Amino acid sequence: MTRLTFSGDDSISMNQSYAYTSTTPGLTVSLQWYTSGLKVDLRGVSDVPHLPIGATWGQDWWTLELSAAGGQELAVGTVTGAKRIPYQDGAAGMDLSGSGRGCNTLTGSFTIHELAVTDGTLERLNLTFEQQCGGDTGSTRGRLLYGIPDMPPLPGPGDTGVTVKPDAVLVQWMNMRPSPLRQRTSRKSIVVKGTAKCARGRFEVKGKLEQYNERGLADGTFSTSGECTGAWQQWSATVVSMRNRDDFMTGGGTTVMGEGWTFGSEYYQLDRVLTSLSQPVTVAASGQRPGVAVAVAGSPVTTPGPRWSSTVTWKGILLRKPRR
């Protein structure tokens, strides 16, 4: 069995994680071994989700090449100073490219942790690598396994990810300090809730909410982030209207679409694993505005300030002047 995993913050990985296993249905993987190097070609769908950047017909395609310096044999140990194949000029060579992405020039290194070859035939291989394209500040890091009988499992939904709860909250409050020419108005928003789990780093959630009601389309965006604790934890985010008409929002049915990002696996060097969020959500009404203290009567508690009271009329226009 062959498994290739990688992620990074450069123009190759583009802040996403990738994992491919030769036993995955529909995935085609070939590994060519020769004493001074190797080449892996694959085409198919990643075992961990990612955005379909450069994918062809819904499938990724990648090539990984590694070679020792000066035609030497590959052996257990670390190789540094690798250049892009076939322009390495006697140095060690490497190249990870595919799905419409590649390096013009690069520097890299790889470490062979375990290697077993019998009569020129590769039996077992465990190596890690890092590649940096010329001009990039980030890099791609990954691991290649072949013939390893006890490969650790890839991160699954129980290990890392983001969920959206099927219930949301409609919050409503009065605009406490309107302009002099406008009356106090009721404002509304929706708070989306969910859970997130990751072993380290931070999780990120962003998405969009769409709701069709008797007044038309009410839509907005939300985002939040937090520190990973290794356990499932709660998150919530307030929807910001995309049309500056949050008063359209109501209780009832709505749809949430978005993305969640969590740390995946240190062993497989998967930094950011995608969770696609798309599900119906039921909105229940509430009188409390998020993040604002609420008095017993249900009105938001605000810092004392001018109150608009005594009114005068000039040419039919209602004016209000402040009273302190």
Side-chain angles (χ1 to χ4, degrees), residues 37-48:
L38 62 87
K39 181 178 182 181
V40 177
D41 287 296
L42 67 86
R43 179 180 291 272
V45 178
S46 173
D47 293 326
V48 296

Side-chain angles (χ1 to χ4, degrees), residues 59-82:
Q59 295 186 336
D60 305 321
W61 52 273
W62 296 99
T63 297
L64 172 66
E65 293 185 82
L66 301 172
S67 67
Q72 301 176 34
E73 292 187 5
L74 289 174
V76 172
T78 298
V79 176
T80 60

Side-chain angles (χ1 to χ4, degrees), residues 127-158:
L127 68 81
T128 54
F129 62 89
E130 181 171 4
Q131 171 181 287
Q132 184 176 38
C133 293
D136 277 354
T137 57
S139 63
T140 284
R141 301 160 297 279
R143 183 178 291 269
L144 174 64
L145 300 174
Y146 175 80
I148 304 297
D150 53 350
M151 293 184 188
L154 290 168

